Structure formats: C-alpha cells, structure tokens
Amino acid sequence: MHLELSEQEQIRRDALRQMRELGIDPYPAESFPVSHTAQGILEGYEKDESAFGEVVLAGRMMSRRIMGAASFTELQDSTGRIQLYFKRDQICPGEDKELYNTVFKKLLDIGDIIGVSGSVFRTQMGEITLDVKQFTVLSKSLRPLPVVKEKDGVVYDAFTDPDQRYRQRYLDLIVNPQVRHTFVQRSRMVNSMREYLNARDYLEVETPVLQPLYGGAAARPFKTYHNTLDMTLYLRIANELYLKRLIVGGYDGVYEFSKDFRNEGMSRFHNPEFTQVELYVAYRDYLWMMDLVEEMVEKVALDLHGTTQVQVGEHLIDFRRPWNRFTMHGVIEHFTGIDISGMDEGQLRATAEQLGVATDPSMGKGKLIDEIFGSTCEGRLIQPTFIMDYPIEMSPLAKKHRSRDGLVERFEAICNGKEICNSFSELNDPIDQRQRFEDQLELGRRGDAESMVLDEDFLRALEYGMPPTAGLGIGIDRLAMIMTNSPSIQDVLFFPQMRPEKKATLDADAAFTELGVPAEWVPVLRKKGIQTLGALREQDPAKLMNDLNGLRKKMKLDIPALQPETVNAWIRS
RNA sequence: GAUUCCGUAGCUCAGCAGGUAGAGCAAUUGCCUUUUAAGCAAUGGGUCCCGGGUUCGAAUCCCGGCGGGAUCACCA
C-alpha cells in the first residue's frame, strides 16, 4: 500500500497491477512502428477521403468520453491530436468483452501511451476520426496529467503556473502545444543560421568551455576545479579569444554556437547559462558585418514565418532590409536633441543629470554615454536598428575608429528595445591590445569586478599577426524570444535555472520499526505528517495515539488499535 | 540584492466583516452504440506552502521562513 500517494495515483497503480495479472505488459519492449501521424491523417483525409487504408498511430491518450459500448478518446502524437473511436464489438469481436470492458474502460487512464490501428472515417459531427480495431498499451502513466481543454481556440483550465511549467517542462510540453512549437521554432532558427553560415563556407568549430582564464566579455565567471591538474578553471563567459586564435591560425571564417556562463543576476532576460553564436571573418570590417547580420536575420524571419514581419507583444517588427542605422552620437541627438560629440567627462555628466540619468563618480566617458543611450534611446528602438561607433572605454577588443577619435568600430543591433547582437572590427594591433587590457586591469584595481583579465597567450597569438577581421556575437536566446514572441527567456529555454525544489526530509521506514513502531503503523504516521524520528519525539503521546487511532478508523485499516503504553514507548525510546 | 504580489483538491480557481473548507474539470461507481471544453446520476478526495503569535476559535489577522511571478539593479 502506498498511503503517501494521492488517491488517483493509487488507482493507477492498481490498474497497472491488474494489467499484469491479465498478462498485459504495461511497458513492452518491442518497437511499435507507426504508419502515419495525426497531422498527416487530418490533412490527407481532408484532401482525399480514400487516401488511407489501415493506419497505425501511437501517442498519449489526452481525453476520453465513454458512452457504454462506444467511446471517443483523443490521441496526441508529436504532430497533434486526432480523435479515436472505440467500439466494443469491434475491439472484441467474440464473446469475451474483457479487452474493452476492463482493459480499455477501467485500466487505461488519461496520459497512458497507446498504439492503435484502424481505418479513418468522418463522424456524423464531421470530425475526422480513427475507427480503432486494435490497441496496444505502450506505457502506463502513474500520475494524473493536468487536464486542459480547448474549444474554438479558447483554452479552459490552462496549465499556467510558471513554477510548475519550468520545473516540469515535460508536462508543459504535453499539455501546451504552443510550447512545443516555440522550441521547434528555436531549433529551426539555429538551423537557418547554420545553413546561412555554411553556405558561405565558414567553419563550425568548438572551443573549450573549461578555461584557465576567462575573457572576451565583461562578466563574472563560474569557478570550478580540476583535480588532476590541481588548478582552478572557469566556465567560459565568451569564446571570442579562442576563435580569434583560429583566425590567426589561418581560417578565413569560423563560427561556434556556444553555451556561455555568467555568474550574474537572473531576470526575464538573463539565465546563468545562455547561448550565443560568434562569428569571425578575416579581411572584413564591421560595415561588411552589418550587411551580413541584416541578411541572416531577415532569412531567419522568412524561414520561420514566411515573411519579414513578426508580431512581438504589441509591436509588429519588420526585419526587411535595410535596417535603420545610427551612430551612437546620432541616435542620442535623435531622441534628446543634444549633440554630445566633443563633450568632456564633466559635460557628459551634466548632460546625463539634465536628462534624469543616474550617475556615479566611478563612471568615465564611455560609461556615461552608455548610460545616456540606455535610458533615453534603447527602449524606444523597436524596429531593428544598428547603432554604430561606440566609445573606446567600453570596448577593449574593438579596433579604433578609422576616422573618429575616442570611438571604436563597433555596432549593436537593437530590436524590441533590446540588444540582439554585438560586433566590431576586431582589434589586431597587439601593442594596442596589451594597452587596452592593462587599462582594464586598472579598472579592476579600482574595484570593477567585471573587468577583463590579461590573456598572455592571446596577445602572443596577435603578435604573430591576425588579419583584419570582423567579429560578431548574436544572443540566440534573445533572438529566439523575439522570433517566437516570448516575453521571458525562460520560455525559450527548455530547462531554465531554478532554485532546487525543497525536499521534505524523511527517515526510512526501518528507522521507525527499530524504534518499535509496527511496520503497518509507519504509513499511518506518515499520513499524520510525521516523517522523521525527531518529529515523532516531539509529539504528545496521548494526542498522537488519539490521532493515529482516528486515522486507523478513517483509513479502514484492519489492525488493532494502539494502546497508550505502546505510543509512550516509541516517544521515550 | 531591493520593492511588490501570489502560494486552498490531480488541474483551474472561489472562500478571508476570524466560527475547523467549496465549484468546475479530473477520479470512483452505475446508466448510456458517434460525442464536440462538459452525455446523465451518485460518491470519494484537502498537513488551506512551513513555523511562530494574537484569539475561546485562524485558510482568513500579525511576524518570520520557503518557493514563485512582476518591476528595478547588475549583466547579454
């Protein structure tokens, strides 16, 4: 007896046992090859009613309506749902009606996975339905599913609790078909980009996740430890410095879809691990890369939606080329009417304060401009827009601007008020690069925990000579949010990071029996909520005996009632 | 990390001038041979997140904790 299980779970375990007693294996080993899919039948039958003879389908039973000797259920496979018609005399042609009356009606439950074969027809109500001749149990479900119903596009009793949806994504995927679709779209998006890059003969590569030094971005890392090497390793925060070594090595174009890890706060835009694609192309600059980004993202929109227009929240976003382009100074002037070019740090600080942007004394020129941009422009850029020419202080890996002092050749694409990519003409002057790293070290000494560390081997590589190179990073999760109209990053990650579920501590049954608790009373104690010896010792003996005997009666247990001295003995021992 | 809201049956939710819990679906039982979120009827099912406090009495009020959402901060 599993007294800690809910009534519905106990009923399902009983059904499992009864199946086995009837000689039915609830978890058979053999393959069950299907001939069709739900969607294939629905679409094919609509076009040609004679298209199907016998078909074989498999999937999860999602609803059931029994009307005596006939029943309707819905079968859900990876493509969708189709109605099944079970008729007793068809399932059981002979005298023995057990397969229908007992196995189908009593031992199967919503959530069970079954295989069926039969022919396709249309009911009087006009619904394309499989007339089932045979069915096979493929997997018995022991937990009740959330039951979600839908009619005419209106969903009833939806399974919506974000906590449960993210922790038990499998349930979310079973009952919320739009969630399955979102992740299919995400996968298609990555394939679309990979196709685009492969068509240009760029090489997909892999670089280390475990790194002795972390670099390529401004972020705090996760730290781990290798036993044999007896050394600290970091989980990568970016793969930039490794990919540029490969450009030094002579490849003309390399890219990597990489999981990166940043030990920062979490929000609906941030997960501790996230995916980026980084691309480096030799003999190109950031202006060339801007064209590539436009073309690739436009292709993604077309591949996913068949159009360049994508509905995102309340906005209809159009990825059709060309996108708007602004310089950082230009866009600030566009939205505030203030021309900041040529301002020194003091003037920038005054401008920031005038615009209501919070500042603090540690902010230099670059940071101040970034703050002004962030609070006055970024959120207002809904349609895809390039912002180019960033302050040098914020960009230690980007090449100095070919014509404008104090700036670097860098752009970001902003869409729906958020950055979706970051790119520069890569800095390949090793002496300048060393100086920039040293400036970062200085920032670190001033208390900036996220400043970059100096990577000597990377500098050594640059000293051998890296061709002029354009580099790009696109946040896959962020782009997936936009392309699938998802308001939170958790909606485009199968398993977003969550706090662990709180596990109730409990002592083993044996611990209770050693104390003298009869085995048949242990489940009753658990039912009472007493899961540990400590909890037992805190009980008042008289009240406990009373409660347990009450439960004995309620649970209709055929065991002798407890006596006071027995309960006293447990608690005192 | 800060602010704020939320945590009641397997699911979605109601209950909160404080009087030991309700609905729909799901489940069980019976009837019913083509239904359209739900055929009909009956029945069972709850440590009201956890721990304290106030009170004769707490799902309800107060405090603390845990978990989650939203906004902000950091960051991509």
Side-chain angles (χ1 to χ4, degrees):
Chain A
M1 241 340 226
H2 300 272
L3 291 172
E4 69 276 19
L5 297 176
S6 73
E7 184 193 28
Q8 294 193 40
E9 287 172 299
Q10 290 183 43
I11 288 165
R12 283 166 184 247
R13 280 171 201 241
D14 280 345
L16 179 78
R17 185 179 46 74
Q18 288 179 53
M19 273 187 192
R20 289 198 161 120
E21 284 170 8
L22 289 171
I24 297 168
D25 181 357
Y27 303 104
E30 309 85 56
S31 295
F32 189 88
V34 301
S35 65
H36 293 80
T37 61
Q39 190 185 17
I41 289 174
L42 295 178
E43 288 173 359
Y45 194 85
E46 203 65 64
K47 286 186 200 121
D48 176 6
E49 301 210 345
S50 62
F52 301 100
E54 283 282 302
V55 300
V56 181
L57 292 178
R60 194 182 290 273
M61 194 165 82
M62 297 304 287
S63 74
R64 183 166 60 164
R65 300 182 289 280
I66 295 176
M67 272 143 295
S71 306
F72 288 92
T73 75
E74 275 186 300
L75 186 80
Q76 174 169 290
D77 69 11
S78 66
T79 66
R81 291 189 183 192
I82 186 167
Q83 178 168 272
L84 306 181
Y85 178 58
F86 285 80
K87 189 172 176 180
R88 180 174 55 201
D89 296 337
Q90 175 130 291
I91 302 292
C92 308
E95 287 303 302
D96 181 7
K97 304 300 184 191
E98 186 173 71
L99 197 55
Y100 181 81
N101 285 343
T102 305
V103 178
F104 173 74
K105 280 172 69 173
K106 303 234 190 275
L107 303 185
L108 281 188
D109 289 293
I110 290 176
D112 289 354
I113 295 171
I114 58 173
V116 293
S117 62
S119 52
V120 186
F121 76 112
R122 198 186 282 274
T123 63
Q124 289 171 11
M125 299 305 293
E127 180 157 349
I128 296 165
T129 301
L130 185 76
D131 187 13
V132 176
K133 295 194 174 58
Q134 288 189 312
F135 72 94
T136 309
V137 180
L138 299 177
S139 182
K140 178 75 192 151
S141 166
L142 296 181
R143 287 177 184 263
L145 285 174
V147 177
V148 180
K149 278 156 305 203
E150 175 266 331
K151 187 192 181 183
D152 299 333
V154 183
V155 175
Y156 300 82
D157 295 342
F159 179 65
T160 53
D161 179 19
D163 185 40
Q164 288 192 67
R165 286 184 48 223
Y166 302 146
R167 285 188 196 281
Q168 296 182 267
R169 181 67 88 183
Y170 38 90
L171 274 188
D172 194 27
L173 291 165
I174 291 169
V175 304
N176 291 327
Q178 71 284 6
V179 174
R180 269 208 309 281
H181 185 247
T182 294
F183 286 100
V184 171
Q185 292 283 74
R186 178 182 169 129
S187 178
R188 284 189 188 143
M189 179 183 101
V190 171
N191 285 341
S192 171
M193 297 170 85
R194 185 172 274 126
E195 276 166 24
Y196 178 92
L197 297 170
N198 287 344
R200 278 150 190 76
D201 284 337
Y202 303 142
L203 187 69
E204 180 164 16
V205 299
E206 293 178 84
T207 62
V209 173
L210 289 174
Q211 305 182 348
L213 292 171
Y214 57 96
R220 285 178 302 192
F222 287 92
K223 209 172 173 180
T224 186
Y225 177 77
H226 190 282
N227 292 334
T228 303
L229 293 175
D230 185 24
M231 71 184 289
T232 297
L233 290 169
Y234 300 93
L235 272 62
R236 71 176 163 206
I237 57 172
N239 39 0
E240 170 151 3
L241 302 186
Y242 282 95
L243 291 176
K244 285 200 272 201
R245 284 169 166 95
L246 297 180
I247 296 294
V248 170
Y251 294 111
D252 278 344
V254 291
Y255 73 92
E256 179 173 15
F257 285 92
S258 64
K259 266 284 179 73
D260 292 342
F261 305 83
R262 298 190 184 175
N263 208 339
E264 307 279 358
M266 291 163 63
S267 76
R268 78 189 175 95
F269 292 103
H270 300 87
N271 194 65
E273 55 184 291
F274 65 104
T275 305
Q276 283 202 90
V277 60
E278 287 195 31
L279 167 70
Y280 293 85
V281 181
Y283 309 113
R284 297 296 185 178
D285 66 4
Y286 78 133
L287 296 170
W288 175 89
M289 187 65 89
M290 231 179 288
D291 294 336
L292 181 144
V293 169
E294 267 179 352
E295 194 178 20
M296 181 162 66
V297 176
E298 185 190 62
K299 167 176 150 53
V300 165
L302 285 167
D303 286 350
L304 262 53
H305 301 288
T307 164
T308 56
Q309 298 186 330
V310 181
Q311 187 73 40
V312 182
E314 57 186 359
H315 303 295
L316 186 63
I317 293 180
D318 195 342
F319 290 96
R320 180 190 297 273
R321 292 178 285 164
W323 301 353
N324 269 328
R325 297 186 183 194
F326 284 107
T327 62
M328 175 66 92
H329 291 167
V331 76
I332 290 172
E333 185 167 6
H334 177 80
F335 282 112
T336 66
I338 299 169
D339 179 9
I340 59 162
S341 49
M343 283 190 182
D344 63 20
E345 186 173 322
Q347 290 169 305
L348 283 169
R349 192 176 303 281
T351 303
E353 275 155 18
Q354 175 198 335
L355 292 166
V357 178
T359 64
D360 72 64
S362 77
M363 291 177 177
K365 268 181 76 171
K367 184 73 179 165
L368 285 166
I369 293 172
D370 194 55
E371 287 291 320
I372 291 169
F373 170 74
S375 51
T376 62
C377 308
E378 193 172 15
R380 291 152 83 173
L381 293 168
I382 301 304
Q383 297 303 323
T385 305
F386 288 115
I387 305 298
M388 43 204 265
D389 300 344
Y390 280 64
I392 191 167
E393 295 85 347
M394 306 296 296
S395 315
L397 299 165
K399 190 177 274 193
K400 281 177 183 154
H401 197 278
R402 62 194 73 182
S403 61
R404 305 179 64 178
D405 276 353
L407 300 181
V408 291
E409 298 206 345
R410 171 179 176 184
F411 73 85
E412 293 189 358
I414 313 290
C415 178
N416 203 34
K418 274 278 167 188
E419 173 193 343
I420 57 169
C421 83
N422 186 12
S423 170
F424 9 99
S425 301
E426 299 296 332
L427 178 55
N428 63 344
D429 173 344
I431 294 170
D432 188 3
Q433 183 67 80
R434 180 177 295 276
Q435 185 59 48
R436 302 273 198 99
F437 276 144
E438 278 168 1
D439 294 344
Q440 288 288 305
L441 292 179
E442 184 52 39
L443 280 176
R445 276 191 280 275
R446 272 166 40 183
D448 183 346
E450 287 161 10
S451 63
M452 294 189 194
V453 293
L454 193 147
D455 185 335
E456 277 295 349
D457 178 68
F458 173 68
L459 288 172
R460 181 167 62 185
L462 287 192
E463 285 166 9
Y464 283 102
M466 182 174 84
T469 297
L472 169 71
I474 297 181
I476 293 296
D477 313 287
R478 295 273 179 90
L479 189 60
M481 286 169 66
I482 289 171
M483 289 294 173
T484 63
N485 191 14
S486 299
S488 165
I489 198 169
Q490 294 170 306
D491 295 322
V492 298
L493 298 170
F494 273 126
F495 303 106
Q497 197 57 245
M498 307 277 279
R499 279 200 169 77
E501 278 181 271
K502 195 172 50 177
K503 254 189 229 144
T505 56
L506 56 149
D507 286 333
D509 288 5
F512 287 101
T513 51
E514 278 165 25
L515 220 57
V517 179
E520 59 270 27
W521 279 100
V522 174
V524 186
L525 276 176
R526 296 204 188 279
K527 185 83 179 173
K528 176 74 177 62
I530 297 167
Q531 302 288 3
T532 62
L533 300 184
L536 178 60
R537 291 203 183 90
E538 287 168 16
Q539 298 294 314
D540 175 68
K543 182 175 189 312
L544 181 64
M545 185 191 76
N546 213 16
D547 289 350
L548 292 180
N549 283 333
L551 280 169
R552 164 180 167 271
K553 197 168 177 183
K554 189 178 174 193
M555 291 157 69
K556 301 187 176 70
L557 294 174
D558 189 19
I559 50 179
L562 291 167
Q563 300 302 312
E565 56 270 25
T566 317
V567 178
N568 275 326
W570 303 347
I571 291 176
R572 276 196 238 99
S573 61

